[in-house]
Amino acid sequence: MSGRFVLLGSVIYLLFFLAMLTINPGPLIVAIPLVVYLGFALLNRPPHINVTAQRTISADYMTQNQPVKVHVEVVNNGDDLEELTIQDHLPEGIKIVTGSARTLASLLHGESLHLEYTAQAPRGSYEWKEVIVSAEDHLGILRQEEKLEIHSKITYLPDIPTLKKVAIRPSRTHGHSGPIPSRKQGAGVDFFGLREYQIGDPRRWINWKASERHDQQLFVNQFEQERIADVGIILDARQQSDVLSRDSKTGKILSLFEYSVRATGALCNAFLDDGNRVGLVVYGFGMERVFPGYGKVQKDRIRKALGAARTGHNFALESLRYLPTRFFPAGSQVVMVSPLLNADLPAFTRLRASGYEVLVITPDPVDFEARGRKLYGELPWQLAKVERALMLHKLTRMGVRVVDWDVAQPFEPLVRSALSRAPVAQHVVLV
């Protein structure tokens, strides 16, 4: 029953009541056309809706902002429907590029109607839940509506930049060849030490300068083995650590979390390309985990997890106190991608005390917010920069390798300059 029917019935009722109250036939005369109008609508009321619908999306996964085709087919299993409106209810964030998600047509018994449109969206997971089908009479007074529950889902994956080299040096490595110095003598390219010449050693290994100092001895070079390692990457998805800012040029709302997602994807790909075993934890609304693995299959798993990642608030996960450190093997490399809060420092103390090598990629929230609000040079901005510098200095004293990233600058050149060489052993100060 539509609002027009209720309004028309109310007007007729008031006219009849007014005629009885005033004992005047005038309101009755006015009500007669309305009664005829309503009677005609009742005689031509739409039949009961008995339709089935099916939705098809051209892909389950798509790179962000790429168009995807959506096809909806509705089949009429009941009586003829002369005026049928079909609307595909769109998830929030989906934008139609071509076509329309709504159509008006007549549908006879046994016939089918096809609705097609092209949509796109930024990174994230989107779910269609229902198709709304409604039928009306010719006058638009009586209306029937059915909501067909049809669930479809698509995940838009992040557009990940390419990194060539991220040098790490965890305390424990695996026995397979890779790019990480293992602190052990063996096949490699980096000088490790000297030992006396033994029968069978290649002549090219002889260190002639060291051998010149001894009359009866030859010395050969030893090289450091290069191996692969376990790398655990933690993406900070806590709502309180995310910062929103407005782009001064386009007016769009930007999220610092989106930069963290792209950086996490780039780091995962770089470590996997070097042959390392990589695992991922998205820490925030919950703890989404991708168990450690190798190769292209692991790349796809991590990218899908990053596509569905979102920020959220969880009282149990407000701090980094409950980081699942046991998810990563002892002595492995832990990489944290987070804007960081002052209350997070004790968590890094525990990581270092547990024997993990820790690398922190921290998108700068101070400059990000100041850029949107145009606060550069003002006192609040200066105080926030000093406070952040002190926090990062404390992390460095703990033995944590820190990369402070202004997201206005490209990520790849920063990593190339800051992480292209393996770190040296650091003196750890726990604060």
Side-chain angles (χ1 to χ4, degrees):
M1 186 178 296
S2 67
R4 293 182 182 180
F5 179 84
V6 176
L7 177 62
L8 187 59
S10 301
V11 172
I12 294 174
Y13 176 81
L14 289 175
L15 289 174
F16 273 96
F17 181 77
L18 184 61
M20 295 176 62
L21 184 64
T22 61
I23 315 178
N24 185 352
L28 289 177
I29 296 173
V30 175
I32 291 175
L34 299 179
V35 173
V36 173
Y37 189 77
L38 182 59
F40 183 79
L42 290 173
L43 291 175
N44 293 276
R45 65 190 306 167
H48 176 70
I49 298 175
N50 181 13
V51 299
T52 57
Q54 182 178 2
R55 184 191 300 107
T56 304
I57 302 178
S58 60
D60 294 330
Y61 296 93
M62 185 69 71
T63 304
Q64 63 183 55
N65 296 320
Q66 294 297 313
V68 63
K69 293 183 179 180
V70 182
H71 178 265
V72 179
E73 181 182 8
V74 179
V75 180
N76 184 10
N77 301 316
D79 298 329
D80 297 345
L81 298 172
E82 296 184 0
E83 291 191 15
L84 183 68
T85 302
I86 302 172
Q87 181 175 359
D88 195 10
H89 188 68
L90 299 176
E92 184 178 357
I94 292 287
K95 177 182 178 182
I96 294 180
V97 180
T98 59
S100 175
R102 178 186 175 94
T103 187
L104 174 65
S106 61
L107 194 60
L108 303 180
H109 171 73
E111 290 186 346
S112 61
L113 179 66
H114 299 270
L115 177 65
E116 292 184 346
Y117 59 92
T118 303
Q120 66 179 21
R123 185 204 63 82
S125 184
Y126 302 89
E127 183 177 5
W128 283 258
K129 295 183 178 180
E130 60 187 14
V131 174
I132 303 174
V133 180
S134 60
E136 296 182 349
D137 65 293
H138 295 296
L139 302 177
I141 296 177
L142 297 175
R143 183 172 183 266
Q144 290 192 20
E145 182 178 285
E146 291 287 339
K147 294 183 178 180
L148 307 178
E149 297 289 334
I150 307 173
H151 292 267
S152 304
K153 185 177 180 181
I154 184 173
T155 301
Y156 274 93
L157 307 177
D159 184 14
I160 297 176
T162 302
L163 298 181
K164 294 182 179 180
K165 179 70 173 178
V166 180
I168 55 176
R169 195 160 187 172
S171 58
R172 177 179 294 182
T173 57
H174 291 294
H176 302 284
S177 297
I180 302 173
S182 63
R183 301 182 178 90
K184 295 180 180 179
Q185 181 270 334
V189 295
D190 293 331
F191 179 77
F192 186 74
L194 294 173
R195 65 171 174 81
E196 290 188 17
Y197 177 84
Q198 297 176 1
I199 297 176
D201 288 338
R203 293 183 59 185
R204 65 178 182 275
W205 288 4
I206 298 176
N207 190 316
W208 297 106
K209 290 185 178 179
S211 301
E212 288 177 355
R213 303 190 188 100
H214 301 80
D215 296 333
Q216 303 296 326
Q217 290 178 310
L218 289 177
F219 292 89
V220 295
N221 293 325
Q222 289 181 304
F223 300 95
E224 187 173 17
Q225 292 180 351
E226 293 180 340
R227 296 292 184 250
I228 61 174
D230 286 304
V231 181
I233 300 184
I234 304 171
L235 173 61
D236 186 357
R238 295 173 299 168
Q239 193 171 41
Q240 64 267 29
S241 65
D242 188 23
V243 177
L244 301 178
S245 180
R246 186 178 297 275
D247 191 338
S248 58
K249 296 181 180 179
T250 62
K252 294 182 179 179
I253 300 297
L254 303 178
S255 172
L256 190 62
F257 179 68
E258 295 300 321
Y259 293 93
S260 298
V261 169
R262 297 181 71 244
T264 301
L267 291 167
C268 289
N269 287 350
F271 290 129
L272 287 170
D273 288 340
D274 285 339
N276 299 297
R277 186 170 67 170
V278 179
L280 173 68
V281 172
V282 181
Y283 185 91
F285 183 72
M287 281 194 288
E288 300 296 330
R289 307 180 187 186
V290 178
F291 286 89
Y294 300 92
K296 292 183 179 180
V297 175
Q298 187 70 355
K299 278 187 181 182
D300 292 337
R301 292 172 184 161
I302 290 176
R303 196 177 181 210
K304 290 175 182 178
L306 292 177
R310 60 190 178 95
T311 59
H313 184 70
N314 188 328
F315 288 103
L317 304 178
E318 285 185 341
S319 69
L320 300 182
R321 178 181 179 182
Y322 299 105
L323 279 176
T325 54
R326 293 186 179 181
F327 182 70
F328 307 117
S332 62
Q333 175 73 56
V334 173
V335 181
M336 182 83 182
V337 183
S338 169
L340 294 179
L341 303 175
N342 285 326
D344 297 337
L345 294 182
F348 294 99
T349 302
R350 290 191 295 271
L351 285 172
R352 292 294 291 135
S354 299
Y356 293 101
E357 293 294 329
V358 183
L359 166 64
V360 175
I361 307 294
T362 171
D364 189 349
V366 178
D367 283 343
F368 181 74
E369 188 172 9
R371 190 176 299 108
R373 299 187 180 184
K374 300 179 181 180
L375 296 176
Y376 279 116
E378 297 188 10
L379 182 59
W381 175 80
Q382 294 177 359
L383 293 176
K385 289 294 289 184
V386 171
E387 183 180 14
R388 178 172 170 80
L390 290 174
M391 178 180 62
L392 298 184
H393 178 67
K394 289 180 180 179
L395 281 177
T396 303
R397 292 186 62 202
M398 296 177 192
V400 176
R401 203 175 177 194
V402 180
V403 177
D404 190 12
W405 175 32
D406 181 0
V407 296
Q409 305 299 323
F411 184 60
E412 194 275 334
L414 174 67
V415 173
R416 185 173 63 244
S417 61
L419 302 177
S420 60
R421 296 183 179 181
V424 297
Q426 299 181 5
H427 178 64
V428 180
V429 178
L430 301 181
V431 295

